[in-house]
Amino acid sequence: MVCPAPAYVAQNNGGGCGMADQVTQAETTAEEAETEAYLLGKRNVAAILYAVEIDDRDKLTELMEPLHAADIADLLEQISGFERARLIRLYDREFDGEILSELDDSIRDEVIGILTPQVLQEAMRELDSDDVVDIIEDLQGPQQATILQALDEGDRAAVEQALTYPEFSAGRLMQREVVMAPQHWTVGQAIDHLRATPEAELPDQFYHIIIVDARLHPVGNVTLGKLMRSKREVSLSALFEETFQIIPALRAEADVAYAFNQYHLISAPVVDEDGRLIGVITIDDAMAVLDEEHEEDILRLAGVGEGSLSDRVRETTKQRLPWLAVNLVTAIAASLVIAQFEVALAQIVALAVLMPIVASMGGNAGTQSLTVAVRALATKDLTGSNVWRVIRRECLVGLINGVIFAVVMGIVGIIWFGNPALGGVIAVAMVINMVVAGLAGTGIPIVLERIGVDPALASGAFVTTVTDVVGFFAFLGLAAAVLL
């Protein structure tokens, strides 16, 4: 059936072609566009690699020219190390500094090692100070020196000053290029100042003019939108934004990202110990930190550290081995519990069949509570004021779910093995383990955070151990007491 145009459908809605058909067509069109873009991307990658293979610099430059720096970074991360080295050497004259800022850390070091000093220096001159700091802070001394020598004297001083601040602090995250104005200026004076300032002295992107007093203390900010729509004679102090946050240089970057997300900031001034303006943090950098924090939490919950697809086999193995070893120890602990009930298991084979169910359900329930708790701790939604309410809620949820699945498993035990007492045992054990899972999944991350251990990294192993041990002990213990 061929569906008519929307206007016709509105007049003839009884013919079988309506809004649902239009939505289906739109979804199909979107899927086709996505498929076409995917195939086009694959063809482009193949064409780029072929140009590299035949050493055709002009063709490679032509193919790379339309690509955004982020797309080029993705391409470099996806191809092999051999192909990456050949591509970079052939493309080095056109290499953009933005590509380095978009690359994964493990690949970035490799790429910097391939670039010639001249190309690397030229690429770094194009970046803002915060991007330069982000790139060179993890490099070795000789590479750092090469990059610092490439910078202008003012930029080099700004980068060196930023490197004196602790890693993962606002001082490392900020950029030193700041647009500021004294609080007694008018809109006209600010606009004239911006127009008279050489383009090279302004940040590539900025969203506010930071207003300072005579001692360079930030007192407010004015958005460019307000500035441009206000009359020239209006005082800048009359245009201050309601939301204004000052960031100390020593504040942790995770707290900075939280402030941006919590208060919907676009940019925020950074001050030194005396409260004087020394830089600014913009929303793109803050959201990058927030994204990294979330990614780290997800990876650590799975016990894979901070690895990426570009890591080598040795690095990936070293990251995963410690937590697999921890899981082995916890599995042995659970096995020791099982070993205490050898007699019961030997006499009642059904126990061996059913006991993994109790532990598995408890483990899954604990993981659910754990995930919610770690996320809430990261976003600071879980605090001392609501911790007991959250723990009570998770335990109650565990109790309700435990009762529901206890009834199900009780019936299964009776039908499967024809033993009502066995059904009752697994039902009670299920309730116990589900309640303990809710308590452990919430309580363990809170305790770990209080003692200074990353809850995302360590909670999983402890929660799994608790639910396995309690599940096996409750089920086999009750079975030994009731059925033997």
Side-chain angles (χ1 to χ4, degrees):
M1 184 191 319
V2 178
C3 291
Y8 185 82
V9 173
Q11 299 171 7
N12 301 273
N13 55 10
C17 287
M19 186 62 70
D21 300 287
Q22 296 174 38
V23 171
T24 302
Q25 287 180 340
E27 290 176 347
T28 302
T29 303
E31 290 175 359
E32 291 174 349
E34 184 177 347
T35 302
E36 183 178 351
Y38 172 74
L39 294 175
L40 179 61
K42 290 196 68 174
R43 287 196 293 269
N44 284 343
V45 171
I48 288 170
L49 293 180
Y50 179 70
V52 172
E53 181 68 26
I54 63 176
D55 289 326
D56 190 339
R57 187 187 298 270
D58 294 335
K59 184 62 176 178
L60 177 63
T61 302
E62 177 188 342
L63 292 169
M64 299 281 275
E65 182 65 28
L67 299 181
H68 188 275
D71 296 325
I72 297 176
D74 286 342
L75 170 64
L76 293 174
E77 291 172 0
Q78 292 167 12
I79 61 181
S80 69
F82 176 74
E83 293 169 332
R84 185 161 48 242
R86 292 192 62 184
L87 188 154
I88 291 170
R89 293 191 180 100
L90 196 62
Y91 186 66
D92 61 355
R93 290 183 302 186
E94 308 294 332
F95 202 89
D96 188 350
E98 291 293 336
I99 300 172
L100 289 175
S101 66
E102 297 286 350
L103 281 170
D104 184 80
D105 291 347
S106 59
I107 295 297
R108 182 191 296 160
D109 294 347
E110 178 186 335
V111 171
I112 288 175
I114 297 171
L115 292 172
T116 64
Q118 294 78 13
V119 172
L120 179 60
Q121 290 171 359
E122 188 61 33
M124 299 304 291
R125 290 193 187 103
E126 303 170 359
L127 299 175
D128 289 332
S129 59
D130 59 326
D131 292 324
V132 177
V133 171
D134 181 55
I135 289 173
I136 74 172
E137 61 184 354
D138 296 324
L139 298 180
Q140 301 299 321
Q143 289 180 316
Q144 281 193 358
T146 300
I147 293 174
L148 288 172
Q149 290 171 5
L151 302 176
D152 297 332
E153 185 177 347
D155 293 337
R156 182 166 59 251
V159 171
E160 290 175 340
Q161 175 65 27
L163 290 173
T164 63
Y165 291 104
E167 193 174 5
F168 308 120
S169 67
R172 289 283 187 98
L173 190 63
M174 69 179 181
Q175 66 181 49
R176 298 298 293 260
E177 298 84 5
V178 179
V179 180
M180 60 181 176
Q183 58 185 338
H184 62 269
W185 271 15
T186 64
V187 169
Q189 289 175 300
I191 292 176
D192 292 341
H193 172 71
L194 289 174
R195 289 175 176 169
T197 303
E199 183 179 350
E201 296 180 12
L202 292 174
D204 290 338
Q205 292 185 2
F206 62 97
Y207 313 100
H208 291 113
I209 294 180
I210 300 174
I211 312 304
V212 297
D213 62 17
R215 295 178 295 176
L216 288 183
H217 294 168
V219 295
N221 56 27
V222 176
T223 64
L224 295 182
K226 278 190 176 182
L227 184 76
M228 298 307 298
R229 66 173 179 258
S230 299
K231 296 183 177 180
R232 291 181 60 85
E233 62 272 13
V234 174
S235 172
L236 291 178
S237 59
L239 303 177
F240 285 173
E241 285 287 287
E242 292 182 4
T243 303
F244 179 65
Q245 294 281 322
I246 296 175
I247 308 294
L250 297 179
R251 178 175 293 179
E253 64 178 21
D255 294 335
V256 173
Y258 170 78
F260 269 75
N261 190 52
Q262 179 75 4
Y263 303 113
H264 311 293
L265 303 177
I266 299 175
S267 66
V270 181
V271 298
D272 61 15
E273 295 178 354
D274 297 322
R276 290 174 300 192
L277 179 66
I278 57 173
V280 65
I281 294 175
T282 54
I283 188 171
D284 55 330
D285 294 319
M287 291 303 100
V289 171
L290 196 63
D291 183 60
E292 289 173 3
E293 291 288 325
H294 292 168
E295 181 181 345
E296 287 176 7
D297 286 346
I298 292 172
L299 292 173
R300 288 176 173 179
L301 280 171
V304 295
E306 300 176 9
S308 68
L309 292 176
S310 56
D311 287 343
R312 293 181 172 85
V313 172
R314 179 183 298 179
E315 295 169 348
T316 304
T317 303
K318 287 174 62 178
Q319 289 168 352
R320 299 184 184 182
L321 184 61
W323 292 106
L324 289 175
V326 171
N327 285 333
L328 176 61
V329 173
T330 60
I332 292 173
S335 299
L336 291 175
V337 173
I338 296 174
Q340 305 305 310
F341 299 96
E342 291 180 1
V343 175
L345 287 169
Q347 295 184 16
I348 307 176
V349 179
L351 298 180
V353 176
L354 296 175
M355 69 178 185
I357 298 175
V358 178
S360 176
M361 290 295 293
N364 288 333
T367 300
Q368 290 175 338
S369 298
L370 167 65
T371 304
V372 172
V374 169
R375 175 72 179 124
L377 287 170
T379 58
K380 303 187 187 302
D381 291 330
L382 183 56
T383 63
S385 61
N386 65 356
V387 60
W388 292 112
R389 178 175 60 81
V390 173
I391 290 177
R392 285 195 299 270
R393 187 199 69 172
E394 291 298 322
C395 289
L396 184 59
V397 169
L399 176 62
I400 294 172
N401 285 334
V403 169
I404 293 172
F405 288 109
V407 172
V408 173
M409 284 309 303
I411 295 173
V412 168
I414 294 172
I415 295 175
W416 192 352
F417 296 101
N419 189 338
L422 179 61
V425 166
I426 193 172
V428 174
M430 185 78 73
V431 173
I432 293 172
N433 206 25
M434 294 286 277
V435 172
V436 170
L439 176 61
T442 308
I444 287 176
I446 294 171
V447 172
L448 291 175
E449 200 229 6
R450 293 285 173 85
I451 64 177
V453 178
D454 187 346
L457 186 61
S459 297
F462 289 110
V463 171
T464 301
T465 301
V466 170
T467 54
D468 283 352
V469 170
V470 171
F472 291 141
F473 187 81
F475 180 58
L476 296 177
L478 286 171
V482 173
L483 302 177
L484 294 183

